[in-house]
Amino acid sequence: MNIFVGSLPWSIEEADLRESFEVYGSVSSVKIITDKFTGRSKGFGFVEMESDEEAEKAIAELNGATVDGRTIVVNKSEPKPEGERKSFSNNRSGGGGYNGGGNSRGGGGYNDRNSGEGNRGRY
């Protein structure tokens, strides 16, 4: 079973997290999620346990526990349905700027050539 662990202290290591869960049974993997640019922990991670029964016991015992002064959140990890994932495409409309650049949403800017000529919104 895959388990979500949130509100982790920034200083916790994967080995420490593994140790906390091994008290309840066999741990297959541990992953603390880190920022890809800084390498710093994002404060959450995932623990995979082989036995669902052991995982349920770990969740019941560790949810709400205090680790280095922080109350952690522990629950069963559910995968996000495909339809709920955010898309980060480059479909952004800009506008404005020093030279005015136009787009379908209007535009305008400091040096807009059409300013004052009655052309509003440039559709």
Side-chain angles (χ1 to χ4, degrees):
M1 174 185 291
N2 199 14
I3 303 167
F4 169 82
V5 186
S7 296
L8 290 170
W10 309 121
S11 61
I12 197 166
E13 302 281 330
E14 288 181 356
D16 300 325
L17 194 55
R18 176 181 290 274
E19 227 174 81
S20 297
F21 279 82
E22 282 180 335
V23 170
Y24 301 97
S26 179
V27 174
S28 307
S29 67
V30 174
K31 179 69 179 162
I32 293 177
I33 306 303
T34 57
D35 181 272
K36 68 180 178 180
F37 299 110
T38 65
R40 183 178 171 197
S41 167
K42 288 190 170 188
F44 69 95
F46 298 92
V47 175
E48 181 82 33
M49 294 186 76
E50 294 175 15
S51 164
D52 287 353
E53 186 177 308
E54 292 171 347
E56 292 290 349
K57 184 168 172 114
I59 290 168
E61 295 285 328
L62 293 174
N63 188 36
T66 302
V67 177
D68 291 343
R70 292 183 59 113
T71 302
I72 63 171
V73 174
V74 182
N75 53 43
K76 182 177 177 182
S77 175
E78 298 290 340
K80 283 186 180 178
E82 286 297 318
E84 290 186 25
R85 294 185 184 210
K86 291 185 178 182
S87 171
F88 294 103
S89 67
N90 287 329
N91 238 1
R92 299 186 181 120
S93 293
Y98 185 78
N99 287 322
N103 61 36
S104 63
R105 291 191 175 177
Y110 180 75
N111 199 17
D112 190 350
R113 292 186 184 124
N114 293 324
S115 64
E117 294 179 15
N119 186 358
R120 305 268 192 246
R122 289 193 255 172
Y123 287 102

